[in-house]
Amino acid sequence: MNFELTEEQLAVRDAARDFAQTELLPGVIERDENQIYPKEQVKKLGELGFLGMMADPKYNGGGMDSISYVLAMEEISKVDASCSVIMSVNNSLVCWGIEKYGNEEQKEKYLTKLTTGEHIGAFCLSEPEAGSDATSQRTTAIDMGDHYLLNGTKNWITNGGTASTYIVIAQTDVDKKHHGINALIVEKGMEGFVVGKKENKLGIRGSDTHSLMFTDVKVPKANRIGEDGFGFKFAMSTLNGGRIGIASQALGIASGAYELALQYSKERKAFGKEISQHQAIQFKLSDMATQIEAARLMCFHAAALKDQGKDYVKAAAMAKLFASKAAMDITVEAVQVHGGYGFVKEYHVERLMRDAKITQIYEGTSEIQKIVIARELLKR
Ligand code: CAA
């Protein structure tokens, strides 16, 4: 066990921190308020190699380890969680999914553009009636010989409007239940594919979340990822890694809020001294810092297991469960430390509190994480 970060990992963390402070912080309040997608910032993220961090350099990826990814996600999320969810979906769900399970042709055609940000990816599993219960797919992909005919609706899709490459999960053979589900790469512009309404959200308002409609979309067989019927396993396996990304996002939201609260507590005076000198505030800061330390170690643990090729399903689910709860608790307390100032937008903590909530919902709710963890615990 080694708790030291390497020079390379520290350099990635510092680069992400610099980027967040110089490129994301200015304008983050306005983007949140007006639901503005951080287009320029995402372009720069791509140029800096943050959109395909772990992908092989031969596909234009950064060839970095998952610890570096956790570090970068934390730094970006401290400042702008809208930006970090774009980054997380692109890295962990779309790039990783295609690199791990796609064929060479798919990697050449799609992955090489997704890693640089020339294309942005979206992962389309959720439906109006299939969120947590992901096997209940209503979207169908009927086998027509050389192509699939795709019909259905997807909901709450991150990067839904801005993506060019969509991984769509759909049912081909109902009788085979989840073994009859496929994962298809769908391109924006394919006939019959329409981007639906943009959601007006509580948090991560700069990210672009849409419903998607597919009507008789012809998707070539060459765009199926893996063998026929592999789609559900593909989704589950990809989400296992995605949960490390969202756990790190939650960690970043929590540490961003904590740092603001710590700073504020040293500036604000009440009853004749800085509020950091009151035990009521010190207890809050101690609880926050302890939860953050634990969440960070859990993210590192899951990431290290993944990098070592070991089973990380339980560790990733635990990290997400813990870090997302910590993010919610810590952001609420950070608002409390700020008092009235915490309730207004200029102080950032109210946004972080709103952003924290989604980390307990997407890529598997906290309740789903408990199911995943329990199944791993009870495995024979
Ligand atoms: N890893 C690998 N395989 C898994 C798995 C996991 N974590 N969980 C289940 N599977 C496999 C099972 O082994 C099983 O395969 P076999 O039949 O071949 O053995 C198959 O998947 C079906 O599993 P279950 O019988 O356990 O299915 P279930 O219906 O009882 O439960 C579930 C499955 C774990 C609850 C699953 O539906 C689930 O994870 N739901 C949550 C979905 C989710 O995370 N959605 C997030 C949307 S994406 C998103 O949010 C992205 C974004 O934009 C930010």
Side-chain angles (χ1 to χ4, degrees):
M1 199 170 291
N2 178 4
F3 288 95
E4 292 295 313
L5 295 172
T6 64
E7 299 257 313
E8 197 184 29
Q9 289 163 342
L10 289 170
V12 172
R13 186 191 65 186
D14 292 348
R17 186 175 289 170
D18 281 355
F19 177 80
Q21 292 302 322
T22 56
E23 304 284 345
L24 295 178
L25 190 55
V28 66
I29 294 171
E30 196 205 343
R31 291 195 299 275
D32 168 73
E33 178 107 353
N34 300 312
Q35 303 187 75
I36 298 168
Y37 179 83
K39 191 166 176 236
E40 278 309 306
Q41 292 79 357
V42 171
K43 188 164 171 273
K44 285 185 187 154
L45 270 184
E47 287 161 6
L48 288 169
F50 285 121
L51 291 178
M53 291 184 69
M54 294 160 292
D56 193 315
K58 76 175 172 189
Y59 305 115
N60 303 328
M64 289 176 234
D65 60 7
S66 305
I67 301 280
S68 301
Y69 176 53
V70 171
L71 291 165
M73 278 296 296
E74 179 179 355
E75 293 304 325
I76 304 287
S77 307
K78 275 183 189 176
V79 177
D80 189 349
S82 295
C83 207
S84 70
V85 70
I86 299 163
M87 178 177 155
S88 177
V89 167
N90 204 70
N91 272 286
S92 347
L93 299 184
V94 183
C95 288
W96 189 84
I98 295 178
E99 183 165 22
K100 174 86 178 164
Y101 296 113
N103 59 35
E104 213 44 49
E105 205 180 307
Q106 291 165 347
K107 291 179 202 178
E108 275 302 322
K109 187 169 177 191
Y110 298 107
L111 184 58
T112 51
K113 296 195 173 81
L114 288 159
T115 47
T116 60
E118 185 183 339
H119 283 183
I120 295 294
F123 184 82
C124 315
L125 173 66
S126 303
E127 299 187 354
E129 290 175 70
S132 291
D133 184 8
T135 57
S136 296
Q137 293 289 308
R138 295 266 175 94
T139 298
T140 54
I142 304 304
D143 189 338
M144 305 298 282
D146 65 339
H147 66 273
Y148 289 98
L149 208 55
L150 186 66
N151 278 286
T153 301
K154 294 289 175 183
N155 262 29
W156 312 293
I157 303 302
T158 303
N159 301 337
T162 45
S164 309
T165 305
Y166 299 75
I167 299 179
V168 181
I169 310 298
Q171 187 84 45
T172 295
D173 187 338
V174 184
D175 294 340
K176 290 188 182 160
K177 300 185 176 161
H178 64 271
H179 293 294
I181 290 175
N182 279 310
L184 307 177
I185 304 175
V186 176
E187 294 173 21
K188 185 178 260 160
M190 281 183 170
E191 208 179 323
F193 171 22
V194 174
V195 175
K197 83 170 165 69
K198 179 171 170 167
E199 302 294 350
N200 183 0
K201 308 188 297 282
L202 171 74
I204 55 163
R205 288 168 57 80
S207 76
D208 150 62
T209 311
H210 286 257
S211 53
L212 307 174
M213 275 80 78
F214 305 95
T215 311
D216 289 339
V217 180
K218 282 186 181 175
V219 184
K221 272 263 169 83
N223 285 25
R224 187 185 71 213
I225 301 178
E227 293 298 306
D228 184 28
F230 181 65
F232 193 71
K233 274 272 187 204
F234 169 85
M236 291 297 105
S237 170
T238 308
L239 280 166
N240 289 331
R243 287 165 187 160
I244 300 176
I246 300 304
S248 316
Q249 180 189 42
L251 165 66
I253 294 170
S255 52
Y258 161 73
E259 286 174 12
L260 289 167
L262 180 68
Q263 185 61 31
Y264 180 82
S265 73
K266 292 194 266 189
E267 289 161 5
R268 172 75 173 171
K269 288 200 172 111
F271 304 102
K273 54 186 175 185
E274 288 87 27
I275 60 169
S276 62
Q277 298 310 306
H278 292 293
Q279 201 176 50
I281 301 297
Q282 290 173 354
F283 281 5
K284 289 188 195 301
L285 295 172
S286 302
D287 283 345
M288 289 180 187
T290 306
Q291 285 185 73
I292 288 166
E293 194 76 24
R296 190 178 290 119
L297 289 172
M298 290 176 87
C299 289
F300 284 161
H301 180 227
L305 290 175
K306 184 165 182 274
D307 287 340
Q308 290 161 21
K310 294 185 179 152
D311 188 337
Y312 57 92
V313 175
K314 176 165 63 85
M318 284 180 164
K320 182 179 182 290
L321 177 67
F322 186 87
S324 60
K325 170 91 166 59
M328 204 61 247
D329 293 350
I330 288 168
T331 53
V332 168
E333 286 295 65
V335 171
Q336 193 69 16
V337 170
H338 281 75
Y341 290 106
F343 207 63
V344 296
K345 295 198 185 280
E346 292 96 292
Y347 285 78
H348 297 284
V349 283
E350 65 80 35
R351 185 185 71 259
L352 291 167
M353 185 181 83
R354 288 186 285 105
D355 287 348
K357 186 59 206 168
I358 192 60
T359 66
Q360 294 185 302
I361 297 174
Y362 58 21
E363 299 206 19
T365 61
S366 295
E367 291 73 13
I368 290 292
Q369 304 313 320
K370 290 182 191 179
I371 291 176
V372 173
I373 294 163
R375 285 181 183 177
E376 291 297 312
L377 295 175
L378 297 169
K379 245 184 190 171
R380 283 165 207 271

